[in-house]
Amino acid sequence: MAFELPDLPFKRDALEPHMSKTTLEYHHGKHHKAYIDKLNEAIEGTPRETWSLERIVADAAGKSGEEFVFNQAGQAWNHSFFWSCLSPDGGGAPDGELSEWIERDFGSLDDFRKAFRKAATKKVFGSGWTWLVVEDGRLAVVSTSDADTPIAHGQVPLLTLDMWEHAYYLDYKNDKGSFVDAYLGDLVNWAFAAENLANQEDEGPARRRAAS
Ligand code: FE
């Protein structure tokens, strides 16, 4: 069965003024949809038609000649995950176990924000993503290029921010820093990150959703 564009978990105008309805119309309705459409075309008539998105990502990762499928599948997965990282009620601070992990591994929430902001604005050259992940039992901030994704590297993603130009250019032009600040200050869905931390041994809610 072909993959379908998942609905956003909020209305397209729900994140204004931090992320505009126009940005989401293009980002979700055009860009994300195009990745899914191209993936469906690429796997039509192959055994991968019945696979989960995660399985396609894992299978195509790093294989010569599979870059196109990996890029479409990776971007389809990354965007599904990204929408759940945003919330009209986002921002603030995490609590519980996630708060303790952040203090243990970054020093403080503010130090985490600085590390994430630096990675998003300085370590993504060209198109890519910045992530909060669990690796070897500790939290880390990592950036990936193009369609690359932590699920292809044995890391468990808790949060991500899309740093492709299409994610911010309509609202912030070249001001990446203000986009990252809006994410960390007003949009980030800590409850989703906490859920992913609690479920890190299994596939997690968004990962199951993206894979369905
Ligand atoms: Fe994007």
Side-chain angles (χ1 to χ4, degrees), residues 4-10 12 15 19-20 23-33 35-36 75-88 129 159-162 166-167 179 183 187-189 192 206 209:
E4 286 179 15
L5 180 69
D7 290 335
L8 288 174
F10 40 77
R12 280 182 170 169
L15 304 183
M19 190 178 286
S20 66
T23 286
L24 284 164
E25 281 171 353
Y26 279 84
H27 198 175
H28 175 255
K30 307 281 186 196
H31 291 274
H32 190 183
K33 183 174 187 300
Y35 295 124
I36 289 171
Q75 286 293 80
W77 193 92
N78 289 348
H79 282 91
S80 294
F81 186 83
F82 176 50
W83 307 132
S84 292
C85 296
L86 306 172
S87 168
W129 300 80
L159 284 175
T160 194
L161 178 59
D162 187 338
H166 65 226
F179 173 61
Y183 174 75
L187 296 176
V188 65
N189 186 350
F192 177 68
R209 201 154 51 236

Side-chain angles (χ1 to χ4, degrees), residues 35 60 66-76 78 145-148:
Y35 295 124
E66 297 272 43
E67 294 85 358
F68 185 84
V69 168
F70 178 79
N71 287 339
Q72 308 314 318
Q75 286 293 80
N78 289 348
S145 291
D146 299 325
D148 200 10

Side-chain angles (χ1 to χ4, degrees), residues 87-174:
S87 168
D89 307 314
D95 50 21
E97 190 185 16
L98 181 54
S99 169
E100 289 165 20
W101 279 51
I102 284 175
E103 283 178 25
R104 183 194 70 192
D105 297 337
F106 295 101
S108 68
L109 180 60
D110 215 39
D111 289 319
F112 158 75
R113 289 194 184 109
K114 283 180 192 156
F116 193 95
R117 192 181 198 282
K118 187 174 174 189
T121 55
K122 303 254 165 52
K123 291 187 183 165
V124 179
F125 185 78
S127 298
W129 300 80
T130 295
W131 306 80
L132 173 65
V133 301
V134 178
E135 183 171 33
D136 300 329
R138 297 185 74 82
L139 296 178
V141 169
V142 297
S143 291
T144 58
S145 291
D146 299 325
D148 200 10
T149 177
I151 63 169
H153 302 284
Q155 299 160 331
V156 178
L158 303 188
L159 284 175
T160 194
L161 178 59
D162 187 338
M163 290 305 296
W164 285 56
E165 272 190 358
H166 65 226
Y168 62 84
Y169 211 82
L170 290 175
D171 296 328
Y172 296 90
K173 300 296 186 283
N174 60 332

Side-chain angles (χ1 to χ4, degrees), residues 1-59:
M1 203 187 88
F3 291 102
E4 286 179 15
L5 180 69
D7 290 335
L8 288 174
F10 40 77
K11 290 192 173 158
R12 280 182 170 169
D13 63 359
L15 304 183
E16 293 194 339
H18 312 293
M19 190 178 286
S20 66
K21 183 181 176 189
T22 307
T23 286
L24 284 164
E25 281 171 353
Y26 279 84
H27 198 175
H28 175 255
K30 307 281 186 196
H31 291 274
H32 190 183
K33 183 174 187 300
Y35 295 124
I36 289 171
D37 289 346
K38 288 178 190 170
L39 175 66
N40 284 331
E41 275 175 43
I43 64 174
E44 195 179 347
T46 76
R48 283 174 170 159
E49 270 188 324
T50 61
W51 292 12
S52 71
L53 202 45
E54 279 197 316
R55 186 174 169 198
I56 295 172
V57 168
D59 190 59

